[in-house]
Amino acid sequence: MTTSDETAPIPHALGDVVITMRQVNKWYGSFHVLRDIDLSVRRGERIVICGPSGSGKSTLIRCLNQLEAHQSGDITVDGVALVPGLAGIESVRREIGMVFQRFNLFPHLTALENCTLAPMKVRGLSRAEAEAAARTYLERVHIPEQAGKYPVQLSGGQQQRVAIARSLCMNPKIMLFDEPTSALDPEMVNEVLDVMIELALSGMTMLVVTHEMGFARRVADRVVFMDQGEIVEQAPPAAFFGEPRNERTQRFLGQILPAGRSGATAG
Amino acid sequence: MRVLGESDVLFILAAVRWTLLLSVIAFLGGAIGGLFVALARTGEITPLRYVAMGYIKIFQGTPLLMQLFLAFFVPGIFGFNVDPWGAAALGLSLHASAFLGEIWRGSIETVPRGQWEAATSLGFRYWAKMALVIVPQAVRIAVAPTIGFLVQLIKGTSLASIIGFVELTRAGQIINNATFRPFTIFGLVALVYFVICWPLSAYSRRIERKLAVAGR
């Protein structure tokens, strides 16, 4: 079990609004992947986004650092309005960490070098500063001893933790997670989720696309359910799992949660 | 007709330096041009992408000999006089640009999309992303086919003999015209090409094998 059912969500204070999406739409050709998305996220808030595959949840978070451009509507991140082709988008991106399903570590660099590359070349830190920070974060994700290894020498869970450390080394204000545990062998899921829970405890603003409902119950301030490009329902975890209002949400939860235990931790 | 002598053999062997020099120049020119072609071809500027694609198609779809003829004769039409040296260097460089560009485009595209996305999300700009993340991975893939093409290029310099550039092959022809010992002379010429090219091929094969093992 990743997180126990009995544990109540971690209480914490929220700050001002840091992300706003208003009437955001996006198409892939004729496929309408995001429909009139309205979402606002406050500093320190932890949002879990779930929904069937193809519902647009990954696309939504990829719009926040403009890995994907949206076609209409407004997105504001940390006071900057994101428009397609925005000059200086890099300065927005470096404040937003992103963790991918397939880790995407740089295979030609060691774990430590993966963590120091961007701080040195993007932020302009000295090697000594960058390495000190990298070691601190590798410690925080519990693999300081793997610093000198190349990604290919690490397990999936270890790679994903290095990827988290790599993002944290940029000192981001927001962390995006795009199905961070779906490519992992089952026995490695927990080590990654544990790191994410610790990160949540530290007050990081997090948007997490995941089907780990135990994680959602324990950590999320709000669970957002998407289907066919729309936000169908959003609610605090207790309400979301306890009394989902929308029929599509109920059907989705019925499929992913163990039978007869709607509201329990997903297996 | 005279007898094939020691000086004739030396003349042929000495011409190897022109073959090598022409190869080096064409390869360097091709590397610079190829880099532009590969970047244009993989970049996000649509018109540049099409120009690069057209360039590759034209040079891959026409014989090297025609390219050398054009490099030799076309500048003259515009009032520039090129000697065989300049024409051969220009023609082979343009030729190599297209082929190296295509090889390197392929290598760049072999680097998974996730690598671009990770680098982008960390705030890298295009050139930093290319230099620090994409190229170091693409180079490993590119080394073997690049050396393979270099071998083609070295052999391709023999065509420069037709526009009057005296390199290894042309030197062989000149001596043969005087002594008429084609088997010996062209056998020697072929042997010299082999001695240059074979180690390169072997090296490229070794790298390829090493990569195959590392990729497992």
Side-chain angles (χ1 to χ4, degrees):
Chain A
M1 273 280 153
T2 311
T3 51
S4 67
D5 288 75
E6 299 82 75
T7 322
I10 307 144
H12 66 120
L14 299 180
D16 53 332
V17 171
V18 69
I19 295 173
T20 319
M21 300 179 89
R22 237 195 347 256
Q23 291 295 297
V24 173
N25 279 279
K26 178 173 175 62
W27 289 263
Y28 289 128
S30 63
F31 179 58
H32 202 165
V33 62
L34 292 179
R35 294 170 194 262
D36 298 334
I37 298 291
D38 284 310
L39 184 73
S40 88
V41 180
R42 294 167 67 188
R43 234 174 264 282
E45 200 171 6
R46 281 118 38 177
I47 309 250
V48 163
I49 304 171
C50 61
S53 66
S55 58
K57 46 197 195 306
S58 290
T59 309
L60 188 154
I61 64 166
R62 290 161 64 92
C63 282
L64 295 176
N65 63 357
Q66 293 284 291
L67 279 186
E68 310 264 3
H70 57 294
Q71 274 123 22
S72 74
D74 304 316
I75 303 179
T76 308
V77 175
D78 201 24
V80 181
L82 303 184
V83 291
L86 175 70
I89 180 68
E90 290 86 1
S91 58
V92 179
R93 286 183 179 135
R94 64 189 188 202
E95 307 299 337
I96 307 174
M98 188 165 206
V99 174
F100 299 86
Q101 183 177 358
R102 308 264 0 160
F103 331 135
N104 297 352
L105 290 179
F106 305 136
H108 59 300
L109 302 177
T110 63
L112 187 73
E113 290 164 345
N114 264 278
C115 292
T116 56
L117 188 69
M120 284 166 61
K121 303 294 179 179
V122 176
R123 291 244 192 247
L125 263 58
S126 72
R127 178 175 297 278
E129 291 169 321
E131 284 190 358
R135 288 190 192 280
T136 307
Y137 284 112
L138 287 173
E139 195 117 18
R140 262 182 70 175
V141 300
H142 313 302
I143 38 174
E145 73 284 358
Q146 310 289 357
K149 291 211 179 140
Y150 286 90
V152 71
Q153 298 168 296
L154 301 174
S155 73
Q158 291 171 328
Q159 288 191 52
Q160 193 60 301
R161 287 185 283 150
V162 173
I164 293 172
R166 175 176 70 176
S167 287
L168 292 177
C169 282
M170 286 297 280
N171 256 318
K173 295 180 174 144
I174 300 160
M175 283 286 285
L176 308 174
F177 293 83
D178 189 1
E179 306 207 22
T181 56
S182 353
L184 295 174
D185 292 333
E187 74 274 16
M188 292 172 184
V189 169
N190 286 350
E191 61 188 65
V192 171
L193 287 179
D194 288 344
V195 164
M196 290 168 62
I197 291 167
E198 288 162 24
L199 186 61
L201 283 169
S202 76
M204 177 63 76
T205 309
M206 294 165 71
L207 280 88
V208 184
V209 172
T210 186
H211 288 155
E212 295 290 335
M213 292 300 127
F215 175 81
R217 280 194 148 261
R218 169 122 158 90
V219 165
D221 294 300
R222 213 180 339 149
V223 182
V224 173
F225 173 67
M226 290 183 72
D227 189 24
Q228 295 173 5
E230 310 178 285
I231 293 182
V232 175
E233 183 161 352
Q234 44 180 320
F240 182 83
F241 293 111
E243 47 211 271
R245 281 166 308 185
N246 190 289
E247 175 263 334
R248 282 193 273 178
T249 318
Q250 292 163 2
R251 189 148 24 94
F252 175 74
L253 288 174
Q255 280 162 359
I256 66 162
L257 297 176
R261 287 181 66 212
S262 109
T265 309
Chain B
M1 192 143 334
R2 61 185 171 80
V3 178
L4 181 65
E6 197 179 316
S7 65
D8 296 324
V9 173
L10 282 178
F11 179 75
I12 289 172
L13 290 179
V16 171
R17 68 181 189 273
W18 302 119
T19 289
L20 289 177
L21 191 60
L22 183 59
S23 301
V24 167
I25 288 171
F27 186 71
L28 289 181
I32 294 165
L35 196 59
F36 280 113
V37 170
L39 292 179
R41 191 77 177 76
T42 54
E44 275 164 22
I45 306 164
T46 310
L48 267 184
R49 221 168 40 226
Y50 281 109
V51 168
M53 192 166 77
Y55 182 82
I56 292 168
K57 291 258 183 290
I58 288 169
F59 278 86
Q60 288 197 333
T62 54
L64 173 56
L65 184 56
M66 295 309 123
Q67 295 162 16
L68 289 175
F69 277 156
L70 289 172
F72 189 53
F73 294 116
V74 168
I77 298 172
F78 297 101
F80 298 102
N81 268 322
V82 286
D83 55 2
W85 237 121
L90 178 69
L92 283 165
S93 290
L94 293 175
H95 174 82
S97 297
F99 279 80
L100 288 176
E102 183 67 356
I103 289 170
W104 295 345
R105 173 198 67 80
S107 309
I108 287 171
E109 287 179 353
T110 322
V111 178
R113 240 176 85 93
Q115 294 291 311
W116 291 86
E117 291 179 349
T120 303
S121 74
L122 286 166
F124 284 106
R125 289 168 196 280
Y126 174 81
W127 290 106
K129 211 174 347 191
M130 265 293 172
L132 299 169
V133 176
I134 305 302
V135 169
Q137 297 181 57
V139 161
R140 287 163 42 91
I141 301 158
V143 171
T146 300
I147 295 174
F149 176 72
L150 175 60
V151 170
Q152 296 299 318
L153 192 64
I154 292 168
K155 293 189 287 188
T157 59
S158 63
L159 288 175
S161 61
I162 297 175
I163 55 172
F165 178 73
V166 183
E167 37 63 75
L168 181 57
T169 302
R170 184 82 189 121
Q173 285 171 347
I174 291 168
I175 300 301
N176 186 50
N177 288 344
T179 62
F180 203 67
R181 295 278 299 279
F183 181 77
T184 315
I185 291 167
F186 291 115
L188 173 67
V189 167
L191 182 69
V192 173
Y193 279 113
F194 183 79
V195 166
I196 299 168
C197 293
W198 185 77
L200 286 171
S201 296
Y203 179 61
S204 128
R205 263 198 312 278
R206 219 186 64 189
I207 290 178
E208 213 151 0
R209 256 203 316 274
K210 228 163 60 185
L211 264 184
V213 173
R216 251 189 262 155

